[in-house]
Amino acid sequence: MMSDRWEPAAFKTRVDEVLHRFVAQEADQFAAIDPLLGPVAEQLEAAVADGKRLRAAFCYWGWRAVGQPDSDALVRAAASMELVHAAAVVHDDLIDDSPLRHGRPTAHVALRSAVRRRPRADAAARSLAMLVGDLLMALAGQLFATSGLPAAYLARARPLWSVMARELIAGECLEILRTGAGPDTAASLKVIRYKTAKYTVEQPLLIGGALAGAGARLREGYCAYGLPLGEAFQLRDDLLGLFGNPERTGKANADDVRGHRPTALLAETWRLARDDDREGLRALLGRRDPDAEDLDAVREVMRRLGAPDRIEDMISARVEEALDALHELDIPAHAAAALSALARSAAVRLS
């Protein structure tokens, strides 16, 4: 059990214990069907091995801010948010053809060893990874439904799962449809909003609040806090994607440049660029295997134009907007303190 004082490390330990035990049991049952399924089962466990557990934390404090006490059943329900994230990550890495996550091979890369002697091995590994992501999403719903919370509480939150899935998939589709199109900051922010911001902060808060019986005014406050903070989280992620240290982020720096992804960082760079800068960027973006020199060239253009500073300003403005909304909420002091700390840890991070 937790005290009213927010202790992120202790909370992460609780969520990790729930996730690791639950997924290990499911992976064992899955692998028991046939020995061939062993490598796939391993990827289920790998998908939940790491993480800051921010989504679970926002769900937890969405519950506590209503005035509800600490609850092991609620922690289990909150942990299901991390399985939604794990599913989204496996699918996202597959779509983006990302080679690394948390410093380890992504699911579709790791699974190549299971099919290396088969025809079209890469395609087979990608198909297996897609199914890993699908199963993780199904397991998220199972963990939520079997959390131990009263059925009436679960019924209040269940409709929000459909909204969360719809918006998450819409955001992923928008990113695919926008990739390679003309850079546009407003369009990039819309991708961020639906692909990441909502399921990272806003929806976990709303689900926790719905479980606890939050009223309409508090739910509105959660949205006013959660949406700008979720956008700040992903804007920070975009900066780290190109300017971060891969040893700390656990991801390859080249992903966004190679994929010519519709990030706000690229859109702002393009907006600020002159014709000669744009000509140089066109030659670099979308290269199949950009090397260190290519990446340095992109970073140099961005820094010279002030694009990273512009993204930092956007992050700061959104965090301030979120905190202003938080200060308007009539919630217990310990919940306000925790949500304030979470806002800073979500938007100001090194990895």
Side-chain angles (χ1 to χ4, degrees), residues 149-226:
L149 288 171
Y153 289 25
L154 296 172
R156 290 195 295 246
R158 194 167 291 120
L160 293 175
W161 275 76
S162 297
V163 176
M164 179 167 58
R166 180 192 313 129
E167 292 179 340
L168 170 55
I169 293 170
E172 196 71 71
C173 289
L174 283 173
E175 183 178 61
I176 293 169
L177 293 166
R178 290 291 315 173
T179 294
D184 180 289
T185 302
S188 294
L189 289 172
K190 189 169 190 178
V191 170
I192 282 172
R193 188 171 306 125
Y194 284 92
K195 181 189 167 188
T196 303
K198 285 177 167 286
Y199 97 89
T200 296
V201 185
E202 184 190 44
Q203 288 294 348
L205 272 172
L206 288 172
I207 287 171
L211 289 169
R217 184 171 181 181
L218 183 54
R219 294 196 304 270
E220 289 172 5
Y222 283 174
C223 294
Y225 163 88

Side-chain angles (χ1 to χ4, degrees), residues 193-262:
R193 188 171 306 125
Y194 284 92
K195 181 189 167 188
T196 303
K198 285 177 167 286
Y199 97 89
T200 296
V201 185
E202 184 190 44
Q203 288 294 348
L205 272 172
L206 288 172
I207 287 171
L211 289 169
R217 184 171 181 181
L218 183 54
R219 294 196 304 270
E220 289 172 5
Y222 283 174
C223 294
Y225 163 88
L227 194 54
L229 182 57
E231 290 181 0
F233 175 89
Q234 185 56 41
L235 288 167
R236 173 66 62 204
D237 214 51
D238 290 345
L239 275 179
L240 289 169
L242 186 55
F243 290 92
N245 181 347
E247 292 184 2
R248 297 194 65 141
T249 65
K251 294 186 282 188
N253 279 140
D255 282 359
D256 288 351
V257 173
R258 176 170 51 82
H260 198 167
R261 294 178 190 162

Side-chain angles (χ1 to χ4, degrees), residues 32-297:
I33 294 170
D34 192 290
L36 279 175
L37 295 171
V40 183
E42 289 174 7
Q43 289 308 304
L44 290 173
E45 295 192 76
V48 298
D50 301 286
K52 299 175 182 66
R53 312 312 186 199
L54 285 173
R55 292 157 186 86
F58 284 117
C59 184
Y60 177 86
W61 285 106
W63 162 275
R64 294 294 308 272
V66 182
Q68 293 279 13
D70 180 74
S71 158
D72 287 338
L74 188 279
V75 171
R76 283 178 58 82
S80 69
M81 301 293 102
E82 298 299 329
L83 285 172
V84 172
H85 176 53
V89 164
V90 170
H91 285 151
D92 194 48
D93 287 342
L94 177 60
I95 291 165
D96 294 338
D97 200 23
S98 298
L100 292 173
R101 175 74 63 164
H102 296 297
R104 294 192 303 271
T106 48
H108 64 280
V109 174
L111 285 164
R112 288 174 188 166
S113 61
V115 292
R116 62 182 178 276
R117 294 187 178 88
R118 289 162 176 75
R120 302 180 66 240
D122 280 0
R126 295 175 69 83
S127 296
L128 289 173
M130 176 185 69
L131 294 168
V132 168
D134 292 346
L135 183 51
L136 286 165
M137 187 64 83
L139 292 178
Q142 181 184 340
L143 180 57
F144 184 79
T146 60
S147 62
L149 288 171
Y153 289 25
L154 296 172
R156 290 195 295 246
R158 194 167 291 120
L160 293 175
W161 275 76
S162 297
V163 176
M164 179 167 58
R166 180 192 313 129
E167 292 179 340
L168 170 55
I169 293 170
E172 196 71 71
C173 289
L174 283 173
E175 183 178 61
I176 293 169
L177 293 166
R178 290 291 315 173
T179 294
D184 180 289
T185 302
S188 294
L189 289 172
K190 189 169 190 178
V191 170
I192 282 172
R193 188 171 306 125
Y194 284 92
K195 181 189 167 188
T196 303
K198 285 177 167 286
Y199 97 89
T200 296
V201 185
E202 184 190 44
Q203 288 294 348
L205 272 172
L206 288 172
I207 287 171
L211 289 169
R217 184 171 181 181
L218 183 54
R219 294 196 304 270
E220 289 172 5
Y222 283 174
C223 294
Y225 163 88
L227 194 54
L229 182 57
E231 290 181 0
F233 175 89
Q234 185 56 41
L235 288 167
R236 173 66 62 204
D237 214 51
D238 290 345
L239 275 179
L240 289 169
L242 186 55
F243 290 92
N245 181 347
E247 292 184 2
R248 297 194 65 141
T249 65
K251 294 186 282 188
N253 279 140
D255 282 359
D256 288 351
V257 173
R258 176 170 51 82
H260 198 167
R261 294 178 190 162
T263 65
L265 176 60
L266 173 59
E268 282 299 289
T269 301
W270 197 263
R271 184 181 66 80
L272 296 164
R274 302 184 301 270
D275 288 345
D276 55 340
D277 290 320
R278 291 183 177 184
E279 185 177 344
L281 286 169
R282 282 193 193 97
L284 293 165
L285 295 170
R287 282 192 180 177
R288 183 67 186 166
D289 291 302
D291 58 24
E293 190 174 323
D294 295 332
L295 295 177
D296 284 342

